[in-house]
Amino acid sequence: MISDPEQTTDMTAILRRLKKIMALSESSNPGEAATALRQAERLMAKYEIQAEDIELSSVVELDIDAKGVNLSSMEKRLASVVGAAFGVGLMASSCIPVKGNKRPKGKVVFVGDSRRVVGAKYIFITLRRQLIKGVRETFSEILVSAGLDKKALRLDAKRRDAYCEGWCAAVMKQIEDFVPEVSPHVDTYIQNRTKGAIAKAPVKAKLDAEVDALTVYMTHRGVKDGMEVRLHRGVSNSGSATALPRLE
């Protein structure tokens, strides 16, 4: 198993080379296949590489900074929806402040096949911008129509989450149209990656005895706005739609 972080760059190149050699070992030419297999075995012995390492080398991770210091509940919900649609693993990080040091931001981390991870990051950033804009504009409309100022009615987390829940449910199909094929090694990668990490107990949701009418409206409005969201692929110079960018 690879463990030395200082060898990551060199080992990445070696694993890439091994994957190509292993592909040749399945050649229909018996001589070529046998030569490739011997070469792969020598490399694996020299660098103490296991078969699992070769499989996991196709799994990568990309992170996105939270808008604030920590991830908001809206960001977590959106990341969960995007991650599920793309079939990628999801990790969330938060940092404990250290006196005298600038506190780093929390992060969303997508884990999976490179094409899926790049796609998930692109879609998450695009949708987060639209989601934040949508919830702010919707609440501003409510204030204006009711003749209230911002101090009279607060956009609390419950109402933001209600809008987000409806919006994400409506936009799910749009996300799925961007999804490439899945990698089967994501769960193993995350288990290895998070060994020794402090796991937080899941937070139990509090059920309100009463849900106010405004919260219900925010959910319905989120669904309506989410149904109007449109995601577009990039367009090349020739005018044809381009695929999502690859992670080299």
Side-chain angles (χ1 to χ4, degrees):
M1 182 68 70
I2 303 166
S3 58
D4 187 351
E6 293 182 1
Q7 294 182 2
T8 300
T9 302
D10 292 338
M11 196 57 70
T12 299
I14 293 166
L15 286 169
R16 191 180 300 121
R17 183 182 173 195
L18 264 172
K19 285 177 70 176
K20 292 179 180 178
I21 295 172
M22 292 300 289
L24 289 174
S25 71
E26 298 176 4
S27 170
S28 58
N29 183 320
E32 183 180 48
T35 300
L37 189 57
R38 286 195 298 271
Q39 188 177 1
E41 289 173 346
R42 283 198 299 270
L43 275 174
M44 291 173 71
K46 180 178 179 180
Y47 294 101
E48 299 182 353
I49 295 173
Q50 306 298 319
E52 182 186 57
D53 295 323
I54 302 173
E55 294 172 350
L56 293 181
S57 66
S58 63
V59 179
V60 299
E61 62 180 70
L62 284 179
D63 59 66
I64 307 111
D65 283 343
K67 275 292 185 181
V69 174
N70 287 316
L71 292 168
S72 68
S73 54
M74 285 205 312
E75 287 176 301
K76 291 176 181 177
R77 183 182 293 274
L78 178 59
S80 178
V81 168
V82 172
F86 274 82
V88 298
L90 177 65
M91 298 186 291
S93 68
S94 58
C95 299
I96 300 173
V98 178
K99 190 174 181 180
N101 294 337
K102 182 179 178 181
R103 182 174 181 173
K105 288 188 171 186
K107 296 179 184 294
V108 167
V109 185
F110 290 116
V111 180
D113 172 79
S114 60
R115 289 188 64 208
R116 283 179 166 256
V117 168
V118 170
K121 179 176 180 178
Y122 166 76
I123 295 297
F124 175 81
I125 292 172
T126 301
L127 290 180
R128 180 174 64 179
R129 182 168 56 247
Q130 296 182 48
L131 174 58
I132 292 172
K133 180 182 178 183
V135 73
R136 286 175 178 170
E137 288 181 349
T138 295
F139 203 68
S140 293
E141 289 175 16
I142 292 170
L143 293 175
V144 171
S145 63
L148 301 172
D149 59 27
K150 292 182 179 179
K151 294 181 180 178
L153 190 62
R154 192 165 63 91
L155 179 57
D156 57 16
K158 180 175 71 175
R159 288 162 180 161
R160 284 197 303 269
D161 289 347
Y163 180 93
C164 179
E165 182 178 358
W167 194 92
C168 286
V171 85
M172 185 72 170
K173 182 62 176 68
Q174 288 272 342
I175 303 173
E176 290 173 344
D177 290 342
F178 279 73
V179 181
E181 294 182 3
V182 70
S183 167
H185 307 298
V186 174
D187 290 341
T188 304
Y189 179 96
I190 292 179
Q191 289 171 8
N192 293 339
R193 178 72 170 76
T194 56
K195 280 180 180 176
I198 300 173
K200 292 184 178 179
V203 178
K204 294 183 178 179
K206 294 181 179 179
L207 299 178
D208 293 329
E210 297 181 5
V211 179
D212 61 272
L214 179 54
T215 301
V216 174
Y217 173 79
M218 291 294 283
T219 302
H220 290 297
R221 181 57 185 269
V223 172
K224 177 180 178 296
D225 291 350
M227 291 176 69
E228 295 174 359
V229 169
R230 294 294 178 268
L231 292 169
H232 303 284
R233 296 182 186 275
V235 178
S236 66
N237 293 333
S238 64
S240 60
T242 61
L244 290 169
R246 290 179 179 273
L247 182 66
E248 300 297 341

